[in-house]
Amino acid sequence: MARYAIISDIHGNLQAFQAVLKHMAGQEVEELICLGDIVGYGPAPGCCVDLVCKYCSIVVKGNHDEAVVDPYTATQFNGVARKAIDWTAGVLGPLHMTALNQLGAIAHLSDEVMCIHDCPAPGPSDYVHDQAMASIALRGMDRPICLLGHTHVPIVFEAPTGEPDEPVQPHQIIAHIPRAGESIHLDPQKRYICNPGSVGQPRDADPRASYAVLDLDARSFTIERVKYDIAAVQLDTQEVGLPAILAERLAIGA
Ligand code: ZN
């Protein structure tokens, strides 16, 4: 069996993460893979790091994870994101900071699957949100399937294999936007960029936590959406003194 739960962008939202863990218990997955941004924005970063360390077999570092442990990277964040980074760095203990610091940027699940937080092409951190960016991302892939997060929007880009000296053009790429429970078939003759969406701060106008199940035997990538207690996280966000917008946006999935 080669069945994996794929999570990304938990962002310190413990209630969403716990709801996802409970939901995936019925999915018969053998491993849990985390694509980074465990912390940042949400009020429970330490608990989320603990759960990721406990349950995930592969974890890659997100840009927020990096910013929390690296003051220079933090300077590249503005506004509420920077406030949340600074707050998070202030509340995490040395063990949590070490756990985040030790994460690598890229991991390989198999000969067929690579894992990264953002765009695999060389250069600064970037969002793979459309076919133009997917065509750039394909150039950085060293496996036919790339699992990534960062945009907080569940999506699958399907591309032809392409030739090394003939990059795939944006018009050759199909963007699938899966609904909850919908599976995208992974054709062995094609390449894929698969984004499971965000556990802790979805931005596709659906406030439910998002994750995916990758089944390499059935060759499917299935998006799952899970309801959780948003009001409780909003209250926690307010109580620790994080900016109000970080609580408000959870209710609208933005
Ligand atoms: Zn994120």
Side-chain angles (χ1 to χ4, degrees):
M1 196 171 77
R3 202 169 148 81
Y4 309 91
I6 315 297
I7 59 173
S8 189
D9 296 279
I10 301 162
H11 283 296
N13 185 335
L14 181 63
Q15 285 87 341
F17 192 15
Q18 286 174 325
V20 163
L21 287 171
K22 196 172 167 194
H23 190 272
M24 71 177 58
Q27 294 277 6
E28 295 184 337
V29 293
E30 57 184 307
E31 285 179 43
L32 175 54
I33 314 293
C34 176
L35 305 176
D37 277 5
I38 306 163
V39 303
Y41 298 136
C47 297
C48 291
V49 173
D50 287 339
L51 287 177
V52 165
C53 291
K54 184 173 178 189
Y55 290 115
C56 296
S57 56
I58 290 180
V59 187
V60 292
K61 191 188 274 180
N63 56 322
H64 286 251
D65 306 323
E66 174 72 22
V68 163
V69 295
D70 176 28
Y72 173 73
T73 308
T75 63
Q76 295 163 357
F77 285 72
N78 305 310
V80 292
R82 177 64 194 270
K83 284 198 175 110
I85 294 288
D86 291 345
W87 177 84
T88 303
V91 298
L92 287 181
L95 287 177
H96 291 135
M97 295 294 261
T98 302
L100 291 177
N101 204 18
Q102 284 174 342
L103 297 174
I106 297 178
H108 294 99
L109 174 60
S110 70
D111 290 347
E112 204 181 11
V113 183
M114 66 179 290
C115 308
I116 190 166
H117 180 65
D118 48 22
C119 183
S125 172
D126 220 334
Y127 295 89
V128 185
H129 51 67
D130 60 17
Q131 283 96 329
M133 276 309 301
S135 73
I136 293 169
L138 285 164
R139 297 177 210 167
M141 284 167 55
D142 60 3
R143 299 287 191 277
I145 298 172
C146 177
L147 305 175
L148 53 71
H150 197 41
T151 66
H152 298 208
V153 174
I155 195 163
V156 174
F157 295 101
E158 179 180 309
T161 305
E163 301 296 330
D165 52 354
E166 222 179 291
V168 173
Q169 299 301 313
H171 71 268
Q172 297 175 280
I173 300 171
I174 300 166
H176 301 279
I177 301 173
R179 294 184 301 269
E182 189 181 349
S183 293
I184 302 298
H185 176 67
L186 305 174
D187 182 338
Q189 306 303 325
K190 298 210 167 138
R191 288 194 289 169
Y192 292 89
I193 297 167
C194 302
N195 188 326
S198 168
V199 169
Q201 196 195 77
R203 293 180 191 161
D204 62 343
D206 182 343
R208 293 176 296 174
S210 186
Y211 78 101
V213 175
L214 170 69
D215 191 322
L216 291 175
D217 294 330
R219 301 207 62 83
S220 63
F221 185 81
T222 308
I223 293 294
E224 301 288 352
R225 301 303 288 253
V226 186
K227 278 191 182 160
Y228 71 95
D229 191 347
I230 292 174
V233 187
Q234 290 178 316
L235 198 61
D236 291 350
T237 305
Q238 199 183 345
E239 277 181 359
V240 301
L242 281 163
I245 181 70
L246 295 176
E248 290 158 11
R249 66 192 303 180
L250 295 175
I252 52 172

